[in-house]
Amino acid sequence: MKFNKVVIFGVGLIGGSFSLALRKAGAVAEVVGFGRSVATLEQAKQLGILDRIGSDVAHEVCDADIVLVATPVAQMAEIFKRIAPHLGVNTLVTDGGSTKGDVVAAARVNLGNKLSQFIPAHPIAGGEKSGASAALADLYQGKKVVLTPLVGNSKDSVARIRKAWELCGAVVSELTPQQHDEVFAAVSHLPHLLSFALVHDLAQRDNRDQLLSFAASGFRDFTRIAASSPEMWRDICMANRDALLDELGHYMQELENIHEALAEADATKLEEIFSLAREVRSAWVQQ
């Protein structure tokens, strides 16, 4: 399968890597990009991510095979509204958002009778770096991409978007939008929140420089994701607020259990908690 034209809104890590991966696979003839920053778009063109910088949305999306919306999730509604009147009958739209319930809701409102052409997706391959310069041709190699198809999507449309991500090297699976948001609140959104919170806590202390001067690999590993885009993660947390609040509740209870074990000098309880955690993580890493 080869796509004649792919249009990308947001040519940073996710969108830029999608383009580079399709190019590496010889699966796309032309990539056109839109974005908020002319400088970023120019950089993306220089890096070989784009063939052209788009200027007329109507002209570019009317004959595109795929439109990828790879912006922060809060910006997607406006983009859906801009492209909806101009989508060709054979043009499929997908996204790279880390939340799906809000994106699907925005698509329902703004895509209207073109909703069946939208196949939501979430590539599980981000990183703490952002921008066109962070894009990698092999970012998706062996990584998971979750599709959350809608009731109105045809099997052929879902298959075409699945194939596009597979051509990027991804392993594709499917969930409902609700299942997706519940799962990723636990294994992605909560860890980011905790990482940001720990660094924020230390940042406000009078002796933060001293503390950070002694921080080693454990701190570096745990806080790596706190270098992620604040704008993007603000939007993700707000978009998946309900599921994230539930997960925070579970985690606060876990912290309370640990607090209680420490307060009571219950070494046995601490070891039980640590042992189960180690066992589950070791099994996960070996999968």
Side-chain angles (χ1 to χ4, degrees):
M1 180 179 291
K2 185 167 184 176
F3 302 102
N4 290 322
K5 185 203 248 183
V6 171
V7 175
I8 299 176
F9 288 83
V11 292
L13 175 64
I14 298 301
S17 296
F18 184 75
S19 171
L20 292 176
L22 289 178
R23 286 186 182 284
K24 185 176 180 180
V28 63
E30 183 181 39
V31 181
V32 181
F34 288 88
R36 294 187 298 176
S37 167
V38 174
T40 298
L41 291 168
E42 290 287 358
Q43 182 185 36
K45 188 175 179 182
Q46 292 172 5
L47 292 170
I49 293 170
L50 302 177
D51 293 294
R52 290 188 294 108
I53 296 172
S55 59
D56 184 338
V57 169
H59 174 72
E60 300 297 356
V61 305
C62 68
D63 62 346
D65 292 300
I66 294 176
V67 175
L68 170 66
V69 183
T71 64
V73 291
Q75 298 174 24
M76 291 185 180
E78 188 271 335
I79 294 171
F80 292 150
K81 186 175 182 179
R82 286 172 63 194
I83 67 176
H86 313 295
L87 290 174
V89 294
N90 295 316
T91 300
L92 297 180
V93 181
T94 190
D95 75 304
S98 296
T99 53
K100 293 274 77 79
D102 61 316
V103 173
V104 170
R108 288 188 190 283
V109 170
N110 293 285
L111 289 179
N113 62 3
K114 306 288 181 67
L115 181 64
S116 63
Q117 294 172 237
F118 176 54
I119 296 87
H122 176 198
I124 319 302
E128 68 275 15
K129 295 182 179 180
S130 59
S133 62
L136 300 168
D138 60 352
L139 180 69
Y140 302 117
Q141 198 67 42
K143 302 295 177 60
K144 290 184 179 180
V145 169
V146 180
L147 302 185
T148 60
L150 307 179
V151 172
N153 294 149
S154 70
K155 290 184 178 179
D156 179 65
S157 295
V158 175
R160 284 169 61 196
I161 294 300
R162 172 184 283 270
K163 185 61 177 178
W165 287 109
E166 288 176 344
L167 287 167
C168 292
V171 178
V172 182
S173 57
E174 295 184 17
L175 295 171
T176 67
Q178 182 178 350
Q179 287 172 332
H180 171 280
D181 288 353
E182 290 172 351
V183 166
F184 285 93
V187 299
S188 176
H189 307 164
L190 179 64
H192 277 81
L193 203 67
L194 300 179
S195 183
F196 280 122
L198 175 59
V199 179
H200 184 263
D201 173 36
L202 298 186
Q204 298 177 88
R205 299 191 190 187
D206 293 338
N207 65 336
R208 75 175 186 183
D209 291 339
Q210 181 187 43
L211 292 171
L212 293 174
S213 72
F214 287 99
S217 58
F219 181 84
R220 183 180 294 108
D221 292 345
F222 183 75
T223 61
R224 176 185 61 81
I225 51 180
S228 302
S229 166
E231 178 188 24
M232 180 180 76
W233 281 98
R234 173 203 66 198
D235 291 348
I236 290 170
C237 289
M238 294 305 294
N240 204 21
R241 187 167 60 98
D242 290 343
L244 189 48
L245 282 170
D246 285 343
E247 292 303 327
L248 267 176
H250 289 301
Y251 193 80
M252 290 167 70
Q253 182 58 58
E254 187 68 19
L255 289 178
E256 182 58 36
N257 293 339
I258 292 174
H259 182 277
E260 182 178 314
L262 280 171
E264 297 178 359
D266 190 343
T268 301
K269 181 63 175 177
L270 283 177
E271 186 174 357
E272 287 176 358
I273 293 171
F274 298 164
S275 295
L276 178 58
R278 179 188 182 191
E279 177 185 335
V280 171
R281 188 186 187 281
S282 295
W284 169 71
V285 169
Q286 293 170 13
Q287 287 179 355

